[in-house]
Amino acid sequence: MQNNLEGIGFDEVTDNSGTSYTVFRNNLQPRYPAVAFDIVKGYFFLFVTVGAIIFIDYFFHSFWWITIPVSSVLIGYIAAYLALFIHEAGHFNIHPDKKMNDRLATIFLCLPFGLSLKSYRKIHWQHHLHLGTPQDAEVSYFHAPTKLFVLETLTGIHLLRTMMRKEGNDVLTKEQVKQSRMMLLGGTFLHLIILTAAFLTGNWPFAIAWLLGFGIFFPFFATIRQILEHRDELAHYSTDFYKQPHGKVSRLFVHTVLNSSFGSAGFTRHMIHHWDPQISYTRLKDIEAFLSSSEKVAPIIKASKTTYTSVLKKLLAAS
Ligand SMILES: [Zn+2]
Ligand SMILES: [Zn+2]
């Protein structure tokens, strides 16, 4: 069974009442309040975590050796949750006005990650155009989750490699490269302010957890998530997908608290997003219901459903 919908025309898919997807998709307007709520939820949990670290450290300072690792992982996990909404903004789906979409996303989403939205949008579109080929611009899934690769991810080597690839990418205009550097500087500055404030107020366990969360665990979770969405379970760990086509594979994930937070902003339905990238993640559930009632694609939907942990187990067994 193929693990993707790409190549299937919108007109070819009809539900059990005979409505074609081409008609159905016209009514799929984004639910903006839901988007805002999901983003606020991320910031709420981030602030609660930060508050908890400071509180616990104040009363149980000697437990820093456990507070720091646990909160670093939590901060990284929440940062990864929030970062996925940049993707939604990249597809112009967080505000109906395109300019406002980009302004809001730049301040509330891109700045903490040092990303330029316009550059991200352009690079991400290459991912949609060239999924599964060496020309893809988002390439974590080219790597098997081997011990070496996990080490490279946790030490920042993979992040550096990704950033160098972005720098060497001729997709971006000079202006966009400049914007990327400016946003990277802006993001670094924001984190420096946070870290300085933490040190000056004596909250060094929080400062370390923040640094490890954003610097190590956020890229780690983002990288692993992309591998789990796109890497073929049958791919050999030694195949060089920078030279050889990997093939198009995308997955659908069942909705548990873990899957839905790890694959926030609709990434649990990444396969549907690749089929119709313009539709807001708030409507992917409706598309899944539509597709599940189509004789032609229902079996693909059913066969593609999995969990992040079961894909991870299979990929680890193959690497
Ligand atoms: Zn993708
Ligand atoms: Zn996309």
Side-chain angles (χ1 to χ4, degrees), residues 5 12 41 61 69 103 117 119 129 165 201 242 292 313:
L5 294 163
E12 293 174 51
K41 207 159 64 182
H61 184 67
R103 246 179 247 155
L117 185 60
S119 307
L129 291 178
R165 195 177 152 89
T201 51
Y242 287 93
S292 299
K313 273 184 205 151

Side-chain angles (χ1 to χ4, degrees), residues 32 92-101:
Y32 295 111
F92 292 111
N93 278 332
I94 65 163
H95 195 279
D97 179 70
K98 284 189 175 180
K99 269 198 178 141
M100 193 50 119
N101 176 89

Side-chain angles (χ1 to χ4, degrees), residues 240-256:
D240 183 358
F241 293 115
Y242 287 93
K243 297 198 176 100
Q244 215 173 300
H246 169 279
K248 285 177 183 178
V249 174
S250 303
R251 298 189 170 89
L252 289 172
F253 298 91
V254 289
H255 288 83
T256 60

